[in-house]
Amino acid sequence: MRLSLRPAAKLTALAALVFIMNVFIWSNYLKHDFNDVSTIVESNKHGRQQQQPVAQHVNQSEDEVTPLHKYKRSAKSFIGYMDTLKNEGEKLKKVVQVAHLEPTQLDDIYISVKTTKNFHQSRLRLIIDTWVTLARQQTYFFTDADDLEIQKLLPSGHLINTNCSSDHSRKSLCCKMAFEYDNYMASNKRWFCHVDDDTYVNIPQLVALLQKYNHSEEWYLGKPSLRHPLEIIDRNNPVQKLAFWFATGGAGICISKALALKMLPHAGGGKLMTVGEKIRLPDDCTVGYIINYILHKELTVINEFHSHLEALWQIRVPEIKNQITFSYAKYGDKNNIVRLEGFDENKDPTRFWSIHCHLFPYTKHCANMPR
Ligand SMILES: *[C@@H]1O[C@H](CO)[C@@H](O)[C@H](O)[C@H]1NC(C)=O
Ligand SMILES: *[C@@H]1O[C@H](CO)[C@@H](O)[C@H](O)[C@H]1NC(C)=O
Ligand SMILES: *[C@@H]1O[C@H](CO)[C@@H](O)[C@H](O)[C@H]1NC(C)=O
């Protein structure tokens, strides 16, 4: 046994020496060849040294360091280089993936709901109990009064009192939209989607829609209520008319991050309100003016968005599951609502519960729906 072990040990020692020499040569070679990499590596080296204070155990001045120590150190630095290169590569890969390749998820969407204190009980409760249950962490409510009762139903910080006036004036609408925009910008999410408090949002379909568009490109998604661009008088030049398209706020508006960034000089820090005042138009028209007239970006029409300005009863039942937003309205004694079997119309006049249970039959409260 002894006889056979000795040559083996010698061989191992030799192999180790050759390996260390190799590593030394390689590490020197790398140092020369990857000079530009060393700047990236530099920042990581400090962190690494703090975590592994190996050098402190070797309490020797530079002169006393034996060649073997030098080799060890070189080997260590070589492995360090390789680690760092690997780490940087992985990190870079992640950034690229996150930026372009990962499909949009619900959490990449910032959903803002515009409301007012008079509708907290009648409208907010209804949507909080239905579609918001599918996007609690992604939905923010912009209102004009504090409300502890509603606050309790939401994650903290999701009911935002803008202190804007509670009337339905152009100014207070733009005031809230300005807050929505600024809060979206602070969220760093891929998409900014705005709806009104009388809008039902089919969350899985909204996510599926946004997966079709690249948030790094400029997208203005929505549905106009007019068949033609809105024409206004240019107040700087009254003989001149301006025309632009805008998406109706109540149907839903989604803006990609790239476009939201472009809007910053015109909409950021409350400027959206100033623009609204200048053109004397409400919030959704103001957004259209900034995007379509100032920035020359087209509105992409999303047919699956539905505000109460269109005939909601015309949506066919088999197509409900493919639609993204719905609304409701009462004109005199005529109801403009989605027509589908479900809960009694006296109990569910908006049809939101019936829509919700039609889409998600196995959720809470839906067991009682007649089918
Ligand atoms: C290292 O050397 C210095 C001075 O030569 C001495 O003060 C210190 O205690 C030594 N540290 C260790 C860990 O031996
Ligand atoms: C999205 O757009 C950006 C910017 O134009 C582009 O670099 C990226 O490759 C696009 N991503 C996909 C998945 O097409
Ligand atoms: C609204 O006013 C209250 C009381 O003055 C203040 O605490 C709150 O921060 C204001 N909200 C916003 C969004 O500025």
Side-chain angles (χ1 to χ4, degrees):
M1 284 300 274
R2 270 191 180 179
L3 277 171
S4 59
L5 261 179
R6 268 196 185 168
K10 270 186 192 165
L11 216 69
T12 310
L14 195 69
L17 201 70
V18 169
F19 173 70
I20 290 167
M21 291 296 283
N22 253 328
V23 160
F24 177 57
I25 292 160
W26 264 97
S27 66
N28 275 338
Y29 169 75
L30 277 175
K31 261 183 212 157
H32 293 302
D33 244 30
F34 290 85
N35 266 338
D36 47 342
V37 175
S38 61
T39 48
I40 309 171
V41 172
E42 207 55 44
S43 61
N44 270 30
K45 257 182 14 205
H46 296 298
R48 188 172 287 278
Q49 273 172 5
Q50 276 163 5
Q51 281 170 355
Q52 299 176 313
V54 182
Q56 279 169 18
H57 295 299
V58 189
N59 198 4
Q60 279 163 318
S61 74
E62 207 54 46
D63 304 4
E64 288 170 315
V65 175
T66 61
L68 188 64
H69 276 113
K70 264 189 188 164
Y71 295 151
K72 272 188 185 160
R73 215 176 270 180
S74 297
K76 213 170 271 158
S77 74
F78 172 69
I79 290 162
Y81 266 115
M82 292 316 279
D83 269 2
T84 318
L85 286 177
K86 211 175 123 202
N87 287 345
E88 292 299 324
E90 294 286 313
K91 251 191 251 162
L92 207 68
K93 226 159 72 188
K94 259 189 201 147
V95 169
V96 169
Q97 271 173 0
V98 166
H100 306 302
L101 302 175
E102 289 273 312
T104 289
Q105 304 291 326
L106 175 57
D107 211 35
D108 298 318
I109 310 171
Y110 186 97
I111 304 172
S112 70
V113 179
K114 185 185 66 193
T115 186
T116 182
K117 64 181 180 196
N118 287 342
F119 292 140
H120 284 189
Q121 285 304 318
S122 56
R123 292 183 179 183
L124 278 203
R125 272 187 176 273
L126 175 61
I127 62 172
I128 287 171
D129 286 342
T130 54
W131 68 264
V132 176
T133 57
L134 284 94
R136 264 172 65 79
Q137 298 299 331
Q138 294 76 25
T139 310
Y140 294 81
F141 298 84
F142 291 81
T143 189
D144 39 42
D146 291 327
D147 188 334
L148 288 177
E149 215 179 307
I150 293 289
Q151 186 92 66
K152 269 189 233 155
L153 305 172
L154 300 170
S156 95
H158 284 229
L159 183 72
I160 295 151
N161 178 7
T162 59
N163 296 323
C164 299
S165 153
S166 64
D167 60 18
H168 201 255
S169 69
R170 179 184 77 228
K171 192 173 172 184
S172 57
L173 294 179
C174 285
C175 174
K176 281 173 197 161
M177 184 63 97
F179 270 98
E180 291 174 47
Y181 173 83
D182 284 342
N183 276 266
Y184 160 71
M185 291 305 279
S187 78
N188 209 25
K189 299 212 181 198
R190 289 183 176 187
W191 289 94
F192 170 37
C193 292
H194 157 100
V195 293
D196 285 351
D197 54 5
D198 58 351
T199 309
Y200 182 96
V201 184
N202 184 355
I203 292 293
Q205 286 298 312
L206 177 69
V207 176
L209 170 82
L210 299 182
Q211 284 179 345
K212 292 187 213 153
Y213 298 91
N214 185 340
H215 65 283
S216 303
E217 289 164 1
E218 290 153 22
W219 290 105
Y220 175 33
L221 311 178
K223 193 170 194 186
S225 301
L226 305 174
R227 288 174 195 279
H228 52 81
L230 180 65
E231 283 193 354
I232 60 169
I233 306 275
D234 185 350
R235 289 173 72 218
N236 295 329
N237 182 10
V239 285
Q240 192 81 36
K241 273 188 184 165
L242 311 176
F244 58 90
W245 287 96
F246 75 96
T248 301
I253 302 169
C254 288
I255 295 170
S256 66
K257 183 171 185 180
L259 180 54
L261 275 168
K262 267 261 171 76
M263 292 167 70
L264 194 62
H266 311 284
K271 285 220 186 81
L272 203 146
M273 228 176 124
T274 320
V275 175
E277 275 306 290
K278 197 184 109 194
I279 60 172
R280 295 171 180 274
L281 287 172
D283 53 345
D284 48 1
C285 305
T286 303
V287 168
Y289 174 81
I290 293 172
I291 296 173
N292 192 228
Y293 182 75
I294 300 181
L295 299 174
H296 305 292
K297 291 291 157 199
E298 295 301 318
L299 167 64
T300 300
V301 177
I302 307 299
N303 282 315
E304 293 82 8
F305 285 2
H306 304 280
S307 79
H308 56 71
L309 297 175
E310 62 180 275
L312 292 163
W313 67 84
Q314 286 181 352
I315 301 171
R316 291 178 49 240
V317 173
E319 273 153 23
I320 286 177
K321 62 178 190 303
N322 302 322
Q323 307 309 305
I324 300 166
T325 64
F326 307 93
S327 188
Y328 58 86
K330 202 177 168 96
Y331 299 112
D333 52 0
K334 263 202 97 174
N335 279 336
N336 181 16
I337 51 176
V338 176
R339 295 275 166 207
L340 84 162
E341 297 278 310
F343 294 106
D344 187 280
E345 230 177 274
N346 293 317
K347 285 190 185 141
D348 183 28
T350 67
R351 306 318 281 153
F352 277 13
W353 269 112
S354 300
I355 293 170
H356 188 65
C357 292
H358 176 80
L359 296 172
F360 311 102
Y362 299 108
T363 51
K364 219 166 87 180
H365 307 302
C366 291
N368 304 331
M369 187 168 83
R371 269 190 281 273

